[in-house]
Amino acid sequence: MKVSNMVGERFKDRPSYCVNDHHALLVKGGYIKQVSNGVYSLNPIMTKMVNNIESIIRKELEFVGAQEVVLSSFAPIDLLKESNREDEKAFKFTDRDNIEFANIKGAQELAIQLVRDSSNSYANYPFAIYQNKVEFIKGQKPSGGLINLKESIYNQMYSFHTSTESLDSKYEEYIKAYENIFKKCGLETYMVNDSYDNSSHKQVVLSDIGEDKFVICDSCAYKASFDKATGHVENSEKSEKRELELVVTPDVTTIAKLADFLAVDVKKLCKSVAYQKYTDGSFVVGFIRGDLDINQAKLTNLVGDELYTAELSEDSILSGGFIGPYQMPKEVEVYFDKSLMGIEDLVIGANQFDKHYIGFNVERDFGNVEYVDLADVRDDDICPICSNKTLKVKNGVEIACLSKSDDQMTKNMSMQYLDVDGNNKNPIMGLYKIDIIRLAAMVCEMNHDDYGPIWPMTIAPWKVQICCLRCDDEECRKYADELYNKLIESGVEVLYDDRKVRPGSMFSDADLFGCPLRVVVSPRNMKNSCVEIASRDKSYLNKPSLDEAFDDIIKFLSR
Ligand SMILES: [Zn+2]
């Protein structure tokens, strides 16, 4: 490729609307062009990178036996009715034959439709199919540069199994394949648990640009999504039981005011948070130590219903600001966080306006309770695995997810096979996804300097860039042309800057292209019978003779 005919426009200044580095560098370097907010087209340089990433993905997935397919871009509505996902459609249209089509997030219906007739014996299993597909996500709010786009390129994979053992064992292989993919792309990722039962995981790059939070243990391998993470706190200070006593606390409706008013440690207070269930509006209250916060997702999981913050009025059975476990109306569902375990005398709301109880003892005054995990994990909480106070809450970007599903979808869509005893069964599925644009964006985010991306050799759009500083100088031009042709003939992906531009602008473009190796051909070098070869990451610099330059490049590339 010659820069003189390259499609794509580069900019001198950092575009002001770009919120983070990868976004700024990819726009500035002419990799992408905005079509609409959150929608981009890719220029040839970005397309080459995506192709390189897809090749890595193909190689690793084929290695674990997955097979590539191309699924139809739209599904007939009847297919979505079979899976009961019709309501999730992004948009639909009716074609000239009066058939309604729709598109939907993920392609499991089309994957099942493709294989359900041919996979009717247990002997066909397990297997997995995958595709790379552009998908438009309706309702997506664009943010974080290229992190949350309305449209991205996804690798979607679906696996089919006759037993949970088969799913478990292939799942481990797919995790390994994913780890290999990201490592080959030059990205350090962490696999975090993303479920309460270890059935789904996310591959995450830790970065401050990430809007999601993850909990990582500094002492052991424990990693989980923030809403799925478990931490512990200690109640080490011994306290004595005392009499339950009602105290008047006028206008003291917050934890901070209460600790102040009663002059007690906030860790002796019981915080109450009231919610209502979506289905019937009934009340649910979570109790937790005063210095901690309730994680609504964890409570939702325990309750088994969606929750919203309780709307309390004067007529409500709960007295907002003074809610507590003692003499709580029977119809309210209550949950106690583990952080309250072992505190002998708590301060609690009295369920009466302007009043609290002091000296509350859960077991004596409420009864035996099953303590549950409701708390948001904080830095330095105790790890559930190694028991060290080394949990850390970090921001990150999810670039892939894997999940073990069940046979519900194949049941809904009547996909069956005959088992070894001749009985009809529905296969169970695994679902897997990689966001390829997000992956490329994060490689740039984690591998760049002020001037441009520093692409790893594996995904770089070109491995070598030749900068011919004086293309109007016959000697320079002739040498650069010959080197370019020789490299291409040897199968090296090479970019050749043959423009008549100032060296400064040629070098700043080269920084934006981010090719791992740069070869500078200039009249001054020619005079010394040499070229200058330097790596983009500045770890390699050499001035081989004109005759040795080709071999030096090949040697570097095969390191
Ligand atoms: Zn740990």
Side-chain angles (χ1 to χ4, degrees):
M1 164 64 71
K2 291 182 177 172
V3 179
S4 52
N5 343 91
M6 197 171 150
V7 171
E9 181 187 12
R10 287 165 303 282
F11 303 94
K12 223 174 141 205
D13 299 315
R14 183 183 170 115
S16 59
Y17 64 92
C18 293
V19 291
N20 45 40
D21 291 347
H22 75 263
H23 192 201
L25 294 175
L26 295 178
V27 171
K28 210 177 146 189
Y31 288 77
I32 52 174
K33 176 146 192 195
Q34 185 166 305
V35 178
S36 167
N37 185 22
V39 183
Y40 288 85
S41 286
L42 312 185
N43 270 316
I45 183 168
M46 187 70 174
T47 307
K48 272 182 87 67
M49 299 232 327
V50 166
N51 288 341
N52 291 343
I53 293 172
E54 287 183 356
S55 297
I56 292 172
I57 294 176
R58 269 192 195 96
K59 203 168 166 202
E60 290 297 328
L61 294 187
E62 302 268 334
F63 184 74
V64 289
Q67 304 167 61
E68 185 167 12
V69 296
V70 176
L71 299 170
S72 149
S73 3
F74 293 93
I77 283 282
D78 287 345
L79 205 59
L80 302 182
K81 281 182 183 160
E82 283 185 45
S83 69
N84 291 330
R85 286 216 306 158
E86 194 200 349
D87 292 344
E88 294 174 37
K89 61 185 175 291
F91 49 85
K92 66 171 185 175
F93 63 90
T94 306
D95 78 348
R96 54 185 287 169
D97 303 321
N98 239 351
I99 298 172
E100 274 189 308
F101 284 88
N103 84 340
I104 197 161
K105 200 173 168 185
Q108 43 272 53
E109 288 82 2
L110 290 158
I112 291 174
Q113 194 272 343
L114 182 74
V115 300
R116 68 179 164 189
D117 298 327
S118 57
S119 308
N120 45 23
S121 158
Y122 71 93
N124 304 128
Y125 293 80
F127 67 89
I129 55 174
Y130 74 90
Q131 69 167 349
N132 297 324
K133 189 197 174 196
V134 176
E135 196 166 271
F136 190 90
I137 311 287
K138 192 185 171 190
Q140 171 78 283
K141 187 171 171 276
S143 67
L146 300 190
I147 302 307
N148 294 310
L149 294 174
K150 286 185 187 171
E151 186 182 85
S152 189
I153 303 173
Y154 297 96
N155 175 273
Q156 303 165 325
M157 181 164 80
Y158 305 97
S159 69
F160 297 84
H161 308 265
T162 56
S163 67
T164 49
E165 292 74 24
S166 158
L167 175 57
D168 289 348
S169 118
K170 289 305 279 185
Y171 191 85
E172 290 303 316
E173 285 184 32
Y174 299 144
I175 284 178
K176 196 90 210 109
Y178 270 34
E179 285 172 346
N180 287 343
I181 289 166
F182 305 131
K183 206 168 159 193
K184 283 188 178 172
C185 290
L187 212 46
E188 188 180 7
T189 58
Y190 294 86
M191 192 187 67
V192 307
N193 181 15
D194 188 43
S195 62
Y196 298 105
D197 60 358
N198 219 21
S199 66
S200 67
H201 295 83
K202 285 178 173 175
Q203 289 280 354
V204 172
V205 180
L206 295 181
S207 161
D208 286 339
I209 72 158
E211 291 168 12
D212 295 329
K213 282 188 180 149
F214 301 92
V215 175
I216 310 281
C217 178
D218 279 347
S219 306
C220 75
Y222 182 75
K223 296 173 191 73
S225 295
F226 185 69
D227 289 343
K228 310 285 162 44
T230 313
H232 302 267
V233 289
E234 261 175 356
N235 289 316
S236 47
E237 305 111 67
K238 267 276 155 236
S239 58
E240 296 299 320
K241 273 186 196 157
R242 51 187 286 182
E243 290 288 301
L244 190 64
E245 185 188 331
L246 189 66
V247 292
V248 178
T249 51
D251 283 332
V252 179
T253 51
T254 65
I255 284 289
K257 278 188 195 167
L258 184 61
D260 212 28
F261 184 83
L262 296 174
V264 293
D265 187 342
V266 71
K267 289 179 184 170
K268 284 282 183 69
L269 308 183
C270 169
K271 188 192 270 186
S272 319
V273 187
Y275 300 91
Q276 284 176 274
K277 293 187 191 175
Y278 262 100
T279 44
D280 59 6
S282 62
F283 288 106
V284 174
V285 173
F287 298 115
I288 193 163
R289 204 175 76 180
D291 58 324
L292 303 175
D293 290 310
I294 286 190
N295 182 297
Q296 193 174 332
K298 287 184 183 177
L299 187 59
T300 300
N301 176 58
L302 288 166
V303 172
D305 198 344
E306 286 301 314
L307 300 173
Y308 57 93
T309 303
E311 289 157 6
L312 300 176
S313 66
E314 283 190 10
D315 307 329
S316 299
I317 54 170
L318 295 173
S319 317
F322 302 93
I323 299 168
Y326 190 62
Q327 294 173 336
M328 168 69 83
K330 283 278 169 286
E331 57 267 49
V332 178
E333 209 170 301
V334 296
Y335 293 87
F336 290 81
D337 182 66
K338 289 178 309 188
S339 57
L340 296 172
M341 225 155 66
I343 307 180
E344 301 285 0
D345 66 324
L346 273 169
V347 177
I348 60 168
N351 294 317
Q352 304 171 38
F353 278 104
D354 289 346
K355 292 193 178 82
H356 281 87
Y357 280 107
I358 55 174
F360 177 78
N361 182 283
V362 179
E363 278 69 29
R364 182 192 66 198
D365 302 322
F366 187 88
N368 284 328
V369 301
E370 189 192 337
Y371 292 98
V372 291
D373 176 27
L374 296 177
D376 274 347
V377 175
R378 306 166 309 173
D379 279 347
D380 304 327
D381 277 356
I382 300 167
C383 171
I385 303 296
C386 70
S387 303
N388 289 315
K389 291 181 182 174
T390 43
L391 290 183
K392 292 283 178 286
V393 179
K394 298 195 169 163
N395 284 66
V397 174
E398 168 196 342
I399 50 171
C401 58
L402 308 93
S403 68
K404 297 176 191 176
S405 186
D406 51 21
D407 62 357
Q408 194 56 53
M409 186 70 100
T410 56
K411 224 177 233 167
N412 290 348
M413 294 189 64
S414 307
M415 178 177 179
Q416 289 187 330
Y417 66 92
L418 280 181
D419 75 1
V420 70
D421 301 316
N423 302 314
N424 271 320
K425 293 270 178 65
N426 305 104
I428 55 175
M429 289 180 74
L431 313 169
Y432 318 85
K433 191 165 88 174
I434 302 172
D435 187 330
I436 294 172
I437 296 295
R438 209 186 264 192
L439 166 54
M442 286 312 291
V443 175
C444 179
E445 189 66 40
M446 308 307 279
N447 301 281
H448 71 272
D449 57 19
D450 289 347
Y451 311 104
I454 302 171
W455 298 120
M457 188 68 81
T458 45
I459 68 165
W462 298 276
K463 312 296 179 225
V464 179
Q465 171 166 0
I466 301 172
C467 294
C468 181
L469 293 193
R470 285 285 302 278
C471 263
D472 52 350
D473 177 293
E474 202 181 325
E475 202 189 355
C476 280
R477 171 106 212 178
K478 188 165 170 284
Y479 181 81
D481 279 355
E482 277 171 15
L483 183 62
Y484 176 61
N485 290 328
K486 202 169 167 192
L487 285 168
I488 286 182
E489 278 162 24
S490 308
V492 176
E493 291 172 284
V494 51
L495 179 67
Y496 177 15
D497 200 341
D498 57 340
R499 297 172 302 165
K500 286 175 188 143
V501 294
R502 286 183 303 105
S505 102
M506 191 176 282
F507 288 142
S508 65
D509 278 352
D511 283 338
L512 285 168
F513 298 142
C515 301
L517 201 63
R518 184 182 306 176
V519 182
V520 179
V521 181
S522 68
R524 195 169 59 187
N525 285 337
M526 293 301 287
K527 203 180 274 173
N528 297 325
S529 292
C530 72
V531 294
E532 191 180 301
I533 297 182
S535 65
R536 175 69 181 85
D537 66 7
K538 299 189 168 70
S539 65
Y540 182 79
L541 179 68
N542 197 12
K543 282 190 169 185
S545 70
L546 296 176
D547 293 340
E548 286 165 350
F550 175 81
D551 289 342
D552 197 70
I553 295 166
I554 298 295
K555 207 169 128 199
F556 179 88
L557 296 182
S558 52
R559 285 203 300 192

